[in-house]
Amino acid sequence: GSILAAESVVNNILNAYIGLSSSYWSPQPRKTNGIFSTDILLADGGSIDNQGLLALVRRKVKKAVVFITTNIPLKPRSEYNPFMKLPSDSDIDSSFSSFFGFFDLIPDPGFDFAHNHIFSRFAFPWIVDRMQKAQAAGKGIVVKSKLRTLRNKWWDIPGGHEIEIAWVYLGRVREWEKQLPKNLYYKLVPKGKEEQMNALVSSGPYKNFPHIPTSELSYSPEKGNLLASLAGWVIQQNKDVFIEMLS
């Protein structure tokens, strides 16, 4: 879903066909006089929380598995040091960074993560550091962290709630790639950049694999099966984490 300026030409055109904005009213307290409506913009939940984590934290769950199925590859330590540089939307997924109070200097007009700060900024580089180490190990970016919430008035999340999260960040997986048939390998792995795990194939039927945008609404069976194979392999390689978190 996209949040677009209500007065924009694009929004007017889209609204005429699919109804991005609507005159909407919410229940009013009995003491108010009359019912008032206002034009609001409509979008799917990914426009404000792409992982669904905030709802789980509001319910005070103790454990959560969060899949970050993003179109932004995680940059390796050779290109991005989380202890030395604030994250940008080219370093790591911005919806993930927003949970720790880091936001894009130029926000994407299709998303609004500005109210999602629920964890300490100090925890962020340590989690990213472990993600980068998992990326380098080649068996999938799966890391656990124990966190304590900060008070967030916007989402009505109290401070001090402890939660353990298994973060699963989408990305190329070197050990999985090594098991591919040779005629398929270089359709998924960029030549000359086999060890640069944030580099993606730039053309062909598997362009940008596995960071394929959801705006591509019709996946081929081959592409869907490859994504399923990759996800299943990563879960199997990290099964102890999932067993612990979901048992």
Side-chain angles (χ1 to χ4, degrees):
S2 297
I3 301 175
L4 302 172
E7 65 276 9
S8 73
V9 174
V10 174
N11 185 73
N12 290 336
I13 295 172
L14 290 176
N15 184 54
Y17 288 95
I18 60 176
L20 280 179
S21 68
S22 177
S23 182
Y24 178 83
W25 61 91
S26 60
Q28 298 288 312
R30 289 181 181 272
K31 63 181 180 180
T32 62
N33 296 321
I35 297 176
F36 301 93
S37 67
T38 184
D39 284 341
I40 65 169
L41 299 181
L42 306 178
D44 69 34
S47 292
I48 52 176
D49 176 11
N50 216 22
Q51 287 78 41
L53 175 61
L54 295 170
L56 296 178
V57 174
R58 288 190 68 188
R59 293 174 62 185
K60 297 184 178 181
V61 301
K62 298 293 186 181
K63 294 183 178 182
V65 178
V66 177
F67 288 84
I68 307 169
T69 52
T70 174
N71 65 333
I72 306 297
L74 173 65
K75 281 188 177 178
R77 176 55 60 86
S78 60
E79 298 183 37
Y80 166 53
N81 185 337
F83 295 102
M84 301 295 292
K85 177 181 177 292
L86 295 178
S88 72
D89 59 0
S90 63
D91 298 322
I92 192 168
D93 181 77
S94 58
S95 65
F96 169 76
S97 303
S98 72
F99 296 136
F100 300 88
F102 297 106
F103 308 102
D104 296 339
L105 293 177
I106 304 177
D108 186 323
F111 300 92
D112 183 7
F113 303 135
H115 305 288
N116 294 1
H117 185 189
I118 57 171
F119 300 128
S120 169
R121 289 186 175 96
F122 295 106
F124 177 83
W126 297 99
I127 296 172
V128 177
D129 173 65
R130 293 173 60 201
M131 285 181 169
Q132 291 172 325
K133 289 175 179 176
Q135 181 187 53
K139 294 187 177 181
I141 304 174
V142 180
V143 301
K144 291 193 303 178
S145 62
K146 291 184 178 180
L147 297 162
R148 186 188 299 268
T149 60
L150 302 175
R151 175 79 172 101
N152 185 305
K153 293 182 180 180
W154 179 272
W155 288 107
D156 193 26
I157 291 173
H161 172 62
E162 294 184 354
I163 182 172
E164 185 175 21
I165 300 176
W167 305 98
V168 186
Y169 196 105
L170 180 66
R172 285 180 48 206
V173 178
R174 186 178 59 252
E175 296 303 315
W176 177 81
E177 292 173 349
K178 288 180 178 179
Q179 299 180 42
L180 294 171
K182 291 189 179 298
N183 65 338
L184 181 59
Y185 181 84
Y186 278 117
K187 292 182 180 180
L188 301 179
V189 180
K191 290 184 179 180
K193 298 181 179 180
E194 294 86 350
E195 299 300 318
Q196 185 180 339
M197 300 311 293
N198 61 323
L200 308 175
V201 288
S202 58
S203 61
Y206 305 109
K207 180 181 178 181
N208 294 326
F209 186 90
H211 298 276
I212 303 168
T214 53
S215 57
E216 184 180 330
L217 298 179
S218 180
Y219 287 11
S220 67
E222 294 82 4
K223 190 179 296 183
N225 286 335
L226 280 169
L227 285 168
S229 173
L230 173 63
W233 191 91
V234 169
I235 289 173
Q236 286 293 330
Q237 295 301 309
N238 297 273
K239 62 182 181 180
D240 291 344
V241 172
F242 291 94
I243 290 173
E244 178 185 348
M245 293 298 294
L246 299 176
S247 62

